[in-house]
Amino acid sequence: MSKPGEIVLEEITKSFGNFQAVGVVDQVIEGGSYCCMIGPSGCGKSTLLRMIAGHETPTSGRILIGGNDVTTMRTGERGTALMFQDYALFPHLNLKDNVAFSLKIHGVAKATRQEQAMEMLERVELAELADRMPSELSGGQRQRVALARALITNPQVLLLDEPLSALDEFLRLKMRVELKRLQDDLGITFIHVTHTQPEAIALADKVIVMDHGIIEQADHPRVIYDQPHSPYIARFMGGQNVVTGTIAATKDSHVVAETEGGARFNLPAKREMSVGDPISFAVRRDKIRIVSKAEQDMNTLQGEVINVEYQGTFVKVGLKTAQDDEFIVYMDDHEYFENPLKAGDAVISEWSSDDVCHLLGSNNSSGD
Ligand code: ATP
């Protein structure tokens, strides 16, 4: 039995003329969960969201919501509501009438729709401003009206296309907490498209990372962040360094990898591997130590400091190593300020074999 609000995407594709914007996507989003879709500009996030909302029809495949095939159903019939990025409020209507608008379209009597609109405005803490016009609101307030307007239709699924992108950093963090609270209270499915990795990680029960129209990885945020499948996910989500090399030796439960520059790394063997196989792995930036003298003969990488950025709770140190990618280390701020570094310093970074994560493929491109 499907749960209300469960979304099943079955072999969905979408082409515009000869251009395939989405394809092939197979995914189940659990009813009542908070799902964030993230990926670079043009990767197909909004197109997928718009197909779930019914604003686009898939070229092939099926969409089920709560067990019903909604693929060709009209927007208003499928139990979804879409909150637009620019909020799309009616400038000539006050807040109460903005929120009540869709009930009016559905022929709900004036007294009932105004009562329901007020209840919804109370939920988003804007009841006192019910008679104001949208132009008399702050960005955060406008966003809450748009939420109330989407929720009044009592959807099983709320679709949010970059809902926080128009807000400043302070308001964005505040509204992020409010969105999560609202989703917890309502218990409906939220699908939230974002460009911001920390936003996806903070909010979601499931993060879907897309690239070139396909899903690269869909998992709990901790898995996405800590155990990215591919170099693409590790680089895109951030917080990790990607190291590439070849297998130089295999021993029982460990393998030794060697980079082109001759650095050697000991890491747990995760699958059948032979000497000469290419390998790439990720090491979390916050699990790396910077030392002046290597304490171990493996899992160290020499580098030259190229930049240092104080981030408040930690210090971000960029190193140039023999690897192509910039190698970044997050240092504890107290530790850093005991021995500050400057551009040009030669340092050694080292880490434990337990803090590495194997990746599939060995280059930049997705799908490798
Ligand atoms: P962004 O983060 O920049 O909003 P996105 O991941 O949401 O990007 P989409 O809006 O889904 O990307 O677009 C995916 C691709 O499909 C893009 O290359 C876009 O130009 C193309 N596309 C989207 N809508 C249409 C359309 N109506 N006609 C033709 N191409 C389209």
Side-chain angles (χ1 to χ4, degrees):
M1 262 289 276
S2 302
K3 234 181 121 176
E6 179 193 72
I7 298 169
V8 180
L9 305 172
E10 273 181 12
E11 298 190 5
I12 294 292
T13 69
K14 177 70 186 176
S15 298
F16 297 105
N18 292 331
F19 177 71
Q20 188 166 49
V22 173
V24 176
V25 165
D26 268 305
Q27 189 62 216
V28 176
I29 298 164
E30 210 186 300
S33 65
Y34 202 124
C35 171
C36 284
M37 288 206 276
I38 188 162
S41 184
C43 72
K45 310 177 290 290
S46 299
T47 304
L48 195 53
L49 195 79
R50 290 169 59 76
M51 286 194 279
I52 299 170
H55 292 280
E56 296 282 1
T57 310
T59 305
S60 61
R62 290 202 313 161
I63 300 176
L64 309 182
I65 298 182
N68 300 317
D69 186 342
V70 302
T71 319
T72 53
M73 224 179 243
R74 288 192 312 131
T75 338
E77 295 169 346
R78 47 176 75 196
T80 57
L82 176 63
M83 194 183 111
F84 294 95
Q85 196 172 351
D86 57 5
Y87 312 147
L89 302 180
F90 299 117
H92 58 289
L93 297 182
N94 67 19
L95 301 203
K96 198 182 348 173
D97 291 340
N98 253 290
V99 175
F101 187 79
S102 67
L103 299 181
K104 187 175 177 184
I105 298 290
H106 286 97
V108 177
K110 186 168 183 183
T112 313
R113 64 180 192 247
Q114 295 227 328
E115 189 186 328
Q116 288 183 13
M118 283 310 292
E119 274 172 26
M120 206 42 84
L121 282 170
E122 259 160 44
R123 194 178 262 287
V124 297
E125 296 170 16
L126 281 178
E128 317 86 89
L129 307 185
D131 295 323
R132 282 218 196 150
M133 304 304 276
S135 60
E136 297 168 324
L137 299 179
S138 71
Q141 289 166 338
R142 268 201 286 276
Q143 202 249 17
R144 299 217 298 265
V145 181
L147 263 177
R149 210 175 58 164
L151 291 171
I152 201 154
T153 57
N154 205 15
Q156 292 178 54
V157 178
L158 180 65
L159 305 162
L160 305 127
D161 197 355
E162 299 192 38
L164 308 179
S165 64
L167 306 179
D168 65 46
E169 179 69 6
F170 176 78
L171 210 47
R172 193 159 50 229
L173 294 180
K174 187 163 175 278
M175 289 309 300
R176 181 163 109 181
V177 174
E178 288 193 23
L179 276 181
K180 185 70 181 165
R181 180 185 54 79
L182 200 59
Q183 193 266 338
D184 275 346
D185 281 359
L186 296 168
I188 64 171
T189 314
F190 274 34
I191 305 188
H192 172 147
V193 165
T194 176
H195 267 116
T196 318
Q197 286 81 347
E199 195 166 292
I201 286 180
L203 285 170
D205 300 307
K206 180 186 251 186
V207 177
I208 295 182
V209 189
M210 293 187 68
D211 189 29
H212 293 107
I214 59 159
I215 295 179
E216 278 284 325
Q217 188 170 354
D219 265 312
H220 186 275
R222 177 142 194 240
V223 179
I224 293 272
Y225 188 76
D226 201 46
Q227 286 145 44
H229 282 175
S230 62
Y232 166 74
I233 301 283
R235 290 187 178 105
F236 182 74
M237 294 308 290
Q240 302 266 7
N241 291 296
V242 176
V243 181
T244 56
T246 49
I247 301 289
T250 58
K251 5 175 215 179
D252 305 330
S253 57
H254 277 69
V255 293
V256 175
E258 187 171 326
T259 65
E260 264 184 32
R264 286 165 83 88
F265 309 98
N266 195 11
L267 55 158
K270 281 279 163 63
R271 53 183 189 274
E272 196 64 32
M273 288 176 149
S274 312
V275 172
D277 283 351
I279 180 170
S280 54
F281 60 91
V283 194
R284 264 179 50 177
R285 295 170 176 177
D286 57 336
K287 301 282 187 188
I288 301 168
R289 300 172 296 278
I290 292 216
V291 292
S292 47
K293 186 168 168 296
E295 284 159 21
Q296 49 195 43
D297 59 353
M298 281 205 235
N299 299 343
T300 68
L301 203 53
Q302 295 190 350
E304 179 188 312
V305 175
I306 48 173
N307 53 50
V308 176
E309 278 181 1
Y310 177 49
Q311 308 276 325
T313 50
F314 66 95
V315 180
K316 184 177 169 193
V317 180
L319 302 182
K320 185 173 180 346
T321 68
Q323 291 281 304
D324 290 340
D325 283 356
E326 187 183 30
F327 196 84
I328 293 169
V329 182
Y330 293 162
M331 289 183 73
D332 173 79
D333 59 334
H334 289 113
E335 192 189 322
Y336 174 84
F337 285 109
E338 276 171 25
N339 286 304
L341 296 164
K342 59 180 187 322
D345 285 352
V347 292
I348 294 168
S349 56
E350 66 174 28
W351 59 87
S352 150
S353 327
D354 299 333
D355 292 323
V356 300
C357 161
H358 283 261
L359 302 171
L360 297 173
S362 56
N363 60 33
N364 278 326
S365 64
S366 48
D368 50 352

